[in-house]
Structures are given as C-alpha cells and as structure tokens.
Amino acid sequence: VQLQASGGGLVQAGGSLRLSCAASGRTLNMGWFRQAPGKERELVAAITWSGGYTAYADSVKGRFTISRDNAKNTVYLQMTSAKPEDTAVYYCAADSRVRSLRVGVADYDYWGQGTLVTVSS
C-alpha cells in the first residue's frame, strides 16, 4: 500500500484547507495524524472503510471533517476555522489489518510522506 498526501500549504487563521490522500492498494480504515515541532505524532481524525464511523481529536471537533471516496481510493481532511496551533506536518495513514476503528499511531501500518500545514496568525 502506498499513500500520497497533498494539499498542504499556508493558510491564515480562520481559513480553510483540504488535504487529500490517494491510496494504492487495499486499505481498511484511514486516518490523518499530525506532528508539530517538538511534539509527538497525534491523531487528528480517522474513518472506517465504509465511512460510517469517524473519530476526531477533541481539538479539531467541529472544525475538521474526514471523508473518503472509495471509488477514487482517496481520503480527505477538510480543515475549517484553522488556528495557529493546527500548524504541523500532516500524515495520512492506513490500517489494513482490522475493521474496527482504531486511533493509535501504532495501530496504522502504512504511512504517507506528510504534508506541511502552516496557519498564520
């Protein structure tokens, strides 16, 4: 499985950005994680293969939306009301092993290369 993330860039606080992650190969659940300088990688959002279940970090609930298009084998992260503290490298990840939605970094076995999101104040 290969994952290609795109869509990162510079956005002003309060603005919006959409990240995309194209997958090649079979994936089950997908997730977006982020890592800010000096901090550990953390879950942002995750979604099951069917799209029926999602999970979000408390810090992004109500502002970010994860979705997927299985026909295109692509998962999206729509970011709105961006805050400077959202600045990080964002990674998409795939869990190819189980169907239940998991939220830990160690639960995901395939990772994309990361895309930088910078939110200016």
Side-chain angles (χ1 to χ4, degrees), residues 27-72:
T27 61
L28 289 175
N29 303 330
M30 299 286 291
W32 285 98
F33 292 77
R34 67 186 180 187
Q35 187 165 18
K39 295 188 177 182
E40 294 186 351
R41 192 169 298 188
E42 63 176 4
L43 174 82
V44 177
I47 188 168
T48 55
W49 183 88
S50 68
Y53 292 94
T54 56
Y56 293 91
D58 288 343
S59 59
V60 306
K61 281 181 181 177
R63 300 189 298 119
F64 292 8
T65 302
I66 189 171
S67 62
R68 67 189 297 166
D69 183 341
N70 288 337
K72 296 181 179 180

Side-chain angles (χ1 to χ4, degrees), residues 6 12-13 23 28 108:
S6 61
Q12 289 187 334
L28 289 175
Y108 288 74

